[in-house]
Amino acid sequence: MRSLHVTGGKPLFGALRVQGAKNSALPILAAAVLAEGVSVIRNCPRLTDTEAAVRILREVGCRVWEDGDALYVDSSGPVRPEIPSRLMREMRSSVIFLGPILARCGEARLSAPGGCEIGARPIDLHLRALRSLGAEIEERGGNLNCRAKRLRACRIDLPFPSVGATENTMLAACLGEGETVITGAAREPEIQDLQAFLNAAGGSVTGAGSSVIRVQGRERLHGAVHRVIPDRIAAATWLAACAAAGGDLRLYDTEWRHYRPVLHKLREMGCDLQTGENLVRIRSTGKLKAASPIVTRPYPGFPTDAQPPLMAAALTAEGTTAFQETIFESRFRHVPELRRMGADIRTEGRTALVWGVEKLYGAEVTAADLRGGAALVIAALAAEGESRIYGLQHLDRGYTAMEESLAELGAEIERKEDGDG
Ligand code: UD1
């Protein structure tokens, strides 16, 4: 079995380029299905999740190839309306292909993605929005059978600002008839990035970044060239790692305005943070103070994906830090593993209270989800002695060769197959 071997106690020094955003790249790859022609998606991160998206694109008939940091997607040929369940299962966010395939083909057949590690993750809001646009959707035995001759514009009021449902609606409405207005839309930077791609492809979308998005339907979209925005959660992860392990780290190719609440909490914890154009510098002694309560919220609130990394940084902070998770129902699966390393955490429902301990100790731990896995790596970097972290398939969904970046900064970290010694 593969694991990361980490010997903690080494501060992180140096500079790191932040990868392109996974959560932008995935909907934009799905949008390439709509854009008849060749799209060039630059700064596309190399992750198992983007590889899964590429397999779906190929399955539905697109040609995809790579050149440097760019992915080329040619969707000029006919698009097949079906995604087999084995591909749907590889990645929960594959449901983002539903809107584009339906809009492009007039039909879509795929299996419902089901739950995942961090919660049930229903898709009722996606389906409700597509039905409002005129799609007929049959749900049978976990399969979705969708039809719509041409989607009709309408007004869609999302009762919760779901990121995926907002994106799926924007994507489908791009080829609809008339102007669709989405109210209660999610406001995440990744939604603005999707809007930028769609407009570059000849679409007419306005309002992303606010809670009202307007999409003027077009007969067709064409291929576009686009550079994916930097990953704000990867940036938050590196900063939390430096906060916990100590050191002096410069991140470049990063947009700090996308993660202000994370910077705010790290400052409260006693880190020295400086921001510049596409740049953040953090200096930390590794001796931290507890932050005021961290409550996850839709953007522009504190991001749920940064909750586990920040919790890892809070483990040795002086005082008590409260975490409240309001977005996903089971997003504390890193807690029992962190306890194995000596953390003092009490959970009740969606709240976790972290009592800072003097020291963490290396242990054998297993990642149960992507960001929880990142929390284990951060705790291991700050711990005394050696840790082994299993469950790397989760980490590889969202971080490009995480151990290589950390090793460059001075961490003692290696990926090994059991039996490698
Ligand atoms: C996206 C991100 C994920 C991030 C999350 C919240 C991608 C690929 N993933 O996920 O990293 O953690 O936003 O910022 O961009 N919900 C429903 N019904 C629906 C849809 C969602 O009840 O139809 C619920 C979910 O179960 C969850 C909450 O709404 O509790 C937020 O989900 P959503 O914003 O849709 O997250 P994702 O788009 O799945």
Side-chain angles (χ1 to χ4, degrees):
M1 222 194 308
R2 291 174 312 152
S3 62
L4 286 181
H5 291 209
V6 182
T7 305
K10 307 273 182 320
L12 304 178
F13 288 100
L16 208 58
R17 192 188 88 84
V18 177
Q19 69 190 43
K22 166 177 91 74
N23 290 352
S24 266
L26 296 176
I28 290 171
L29 287 171
V33 170
L34 288 177
E36 274 177 69
V38 179
S39 290
V40 186
I41 298 148
R42 297 178 47 224
N43 200 29
C44 191
R46 281 161 193 259
L47 305 165
T48 54
D49 261 10
T50 47
E51 284 165 12
V54 166
R55 279 193 284 280
I56 292 178
L57 285 168
R58 291 195 171 125
E59 176 71 30
V60 300
C62 301
R63 287 176 54 234
V64 186
W65 66 99
E66 234 179 275
D67 188 10
D69 76 343
L71 268 187
Y72 289 68
V73 182
D74 181 357
S75 63
S76 40
V79 169
R80 279 190 292 275
E82 187 157 352
I83 307 179
S85 60
R86 96 190 123 77
L87 289 182
M88 288 299 292
R89 276 197 305 268
E90 279 187 18
M91 178 177 64
R92 196 267 168 199
S93 18
S94 45
V95 71
I96 200 63
F97 281 87
L98 178 58
I101 292 179
L102 180 63
R104 172 91 191 257
C105 306
E107 55 178 327
R109 287 186 297 279
L110 40 90
S111 55
C116 78
E117 303 85 14
I118 56 177
R121 295 184 98 161
I123 54 163
D124 55 315
L125 301 176
H126 300 238
L127 300 186
R128 215 164 89 181
L130 294 174
R131 283 189 172 116
S132 305
L133 286 163
E136 283 171 33
I137 305 178
E138 243 178 49
E139 297 171 74
R140 215 179 275 162
N143 290 321
L144 296 172
N145 220 328
C146 313
R147 267 178 192 285
K149 217 170 169 131
R150 180 158 183 208
L151 296 164
R152 293 181 313 266
C154 65
R155 204 182 157 90
I156 290 165
D157 188 25
L158 290 174
F160 176 83
S162 153
V163 175
T166 302
E167 293 168 342
N168 235 334
T169 312
M170 286 163 75
L171 288 161
C174 265
L175 294 187
E177 221 175 304
E179 186 185 71
T180 297
V181 181
I182 309 167
T183 57
R187 299 168 54 192
E188 270 67 2
E190 293 76 17
I191 290 180
Q192 298 183 47
D193 207 26
L194 178 61
Q195 168 177 288
F197 175 82
L198 290 169
N199 288 341
S204 171
V205 187
T206 55
S210 80
S211 50
V212 181
I213 297 176
R214 292 169 191 276
V215 184
Q216 192 69 49
R218 292 276 186 254
E219 280 293 323
R220 60 195 324 157
L221 300 186
H222 52 73
V225 181
H226 180 79
R227 187 175 198 274
V228 171
I229 57 168
D231 195 311
R232 63 197 166 99
I233 305 302
T237 303
W238 303 129
L239 294 176
C242 184
D248 182 348
L249 172 63
R250 273 162 292 128
L251 296 182
Y252 59 98
D253 244 350
T254 186
E255 177 48 270
W256 59 270
R257 293 172 191 87
H258 291 167
Y259 50 93
R260 287 177 208 264
V262 173
L263 299 180
H264 178 67
K265 292 295 170 187
L266 289 170
R267 281 198 177 107
E268 275 186 23
M269 293 171 87
C271 300
D272 176 24
L273 280 146
Q274 288 164 9
T275 54
E277 232 17 75
N278 306 318
L279 197 79
V280 175
R281 180 178 186 184
I282 181 169
R283 277 177 290 188
S284 165
T285 57
K287 296 257 167 271
L288 304 174
K289 300 185 295 247
S292 58
I294 295 180
V295 183
T296 64
R297 297 266 184 230
Y299 193 85
F302 189 94
T304 169
D305 289 351
Q307 174 261 109
L310 265 279
M311 187 183 290
L315 298 177
T316 51
E318 197 187 319
T320 309
T321 315
F323 289 82
Q324 200 190 337
E325 174 56 57
T326 73
I327 309 291
F328 289 107
E329 65 268 34
S330 35
R331 208 158 198 186
F332 287 147
R333 294 183 65 194
H334 43 289
V335 167
E337 300 302 289
L338 292 173
R339 283 194 192 118
R340 296 162 73 94
M341 303 173 85
D344 185 0
I345 311 172
R346 284 160 233 185
T347 55
E348 203 185 302
R350 292 190 174 201
T351 303
L353 286 180
V354 176
W355 268 267
V357 291
E358 196 61 33
K359 257 188 194 167
L360 296 171
Y361 299 94
E364 270 195 33
V365 288
T366 304
D369 61 65
L370 166 58
R371 307 301 171 185
L376 301 183
V377 174
I378 294 169
L381 293 170
E384 190 176 291
E386 195 188 273
S387 295
R388 287 188 188 197
I389 300 161
Y390 294 92
L392 304 192
Q393 72 281 10
H394 297 294
L395 278 175
D396 293 340
R397 285 184 40 225
Y399 300 95
T400 310
M402 186 182 222
E403 69 280 6
E404 288 174 21
S405 303
L406 289 167
E408 267 175 43
L409 301 174
E412 213 177 307
I413 181 168
E414 235 186 313
R415 185 181 290 243
K416 289 189 181 174
E417 285 290 334
D418 268 2
D420 281 2

